Structure formats: structure tokens, C-alpha cells
Amino acid sequence: MDELTQARLQVVRDHMRLECEHDWDAVIATFQHPRYEMQGMETVFDGEEAVRGYFATSRAAFPDQGNEIIAIGAGGDSVLVEFWLTGTHLGPLKLPTADLPPTGRAFRLKMMASFEFAPGSDKIVCERPYFDRLALLAALGLG
């Protein structure tokens, strides 16, 4: 494995750990340009202000949100990660059509994310998480 691939894998591991630690400045520093494309919600957060807003909103709903990496691999300008997303619904969950009050229920949801990198760089240009929104709502007793 070449040095750039190793560096990208470490950036993704660090990025995911820093999200759990709520170290938003350090998470933002892993990006060349902050961007999340949420495939389970069909929502895009583009730019630092939008991404920081996503962090605030998502952690208001799930302040203990965490992740556990199951598998990680790299190819081309992408790193793919399979992981468990965990958390407890302790604040309002903002959906495009409604705000759902907290249920107090914990969840553990298997997810996948692709991290796209700028060519020749170890800086992320887009994180693209894939998840089943209905499975999350069911786990929270809302679906």
C-alpha cells in the first residue's frame, strides 16, 4: 500500500473519531472543502457553515452519537467504510417534513460511507454516508 493510501485511511479513521469527540474544528481540517451528501436523507451540506450546522443539528438529536468501524478499504481517490452508528435520541430530530420529539431510545445501525479525496491529496472533498432512514426511525420507535 502506498503512502498516500495509508494517509487517506488514517485521515478517515481520525475524521470518524473526531466526530465522536465533537472536535468540529479538527473534523473541518480533514476536508479540502467540507461537504456531506446524506444518501439516506437526500440532503447535501456544502461548505463549512452548512457542515457545522449539520453537526449542531444532528448532535442535538443524538449527543452521544458514535461509530465503530467494521471494515475500511481504499481504491482510487476513495475510502470506503462499513461501520455501526450508535446513539440515543435525546433531542429533537429534524426531518424535512417535521421535527420529531426525543424518544430516549438508543439505536445501533449498520451504515456505509464513501470518502472522496482530491486527486493526489489526503484531504476529503466529500463524505457520502449511506443508510436506511426507515430502519433508523423503526429503531427509535417512530416507524
Side-chain angles (χ1 to χ4, degrees):
M1 184 178 321
D2 66 41
E3 287 182 34
L4 181 57
T5 300
Q6 289 177 5
R8 287 173 170 177
L9 289 167
Q10 189 59 52
V11 164
V12 169
R13 287 184 185 100
D14 292 344
H15 174 97
M16 293 179 72
R17 176 183 49 79
L18 293 163
E19 286 178 325
C20 295
E21 296 171 359
H22 299 196
D23 188 343
W24 308 131
D25 292 337
V27 174
I28 293 293
T30 65
F31 286 98
Q32 177 176 317
H33 174 81
R35 182 178 174 91
Y36 284 78
E37 296 177 2
M38 309 302 287
Q39 298 304 305
M41 303 292 281
E42 289 73 43
T43 304
V44 174
F45 301 97
D46 188 38
E48 184 173 344
E49 183 178 337
V51 167
R52 286 183 184 273
Y54 157 68
F55 293 152
T57 300
S58 62
R59 293 341 184 259
F62 306 107
D64 63 344
Q65 183 173 309
N67 60 67
E68 303 164 22
I69 295 175
I70 300 166
I72 187 169
D77 289 325
S78 299
V79 171
L80 303 178
V81 183
E82 181 183 25
F83 62 99
W84 290 105
L85 186 73
T86 61
T88 310
H89 186 201
L90 299 175
L93 177 58
K94 296 187 178 294
L95 299 178
T97 57
D99 288 355
L100 304 176
T103 62
R105 293 180 75 166
F107 71 92
R108 182 175 170 89
L109 183 66
K110 189 179 276 190
M111 294 181 56
M112 183 270 169
S114 70
F115 291 81
E116 305 302 321
F117 286 82
S121 170
D122 65 353
K123 293 292 188 180
I124 300 166
V125 293
C126 183
E127 178 180 347
R128 203 172 285 121
Y130 294 83
F131 65 99
D132 182 344
R133 178 175 47 128
L134 295 179
L136 174 61
L137 293 175
L140 299 177
L142 299 168

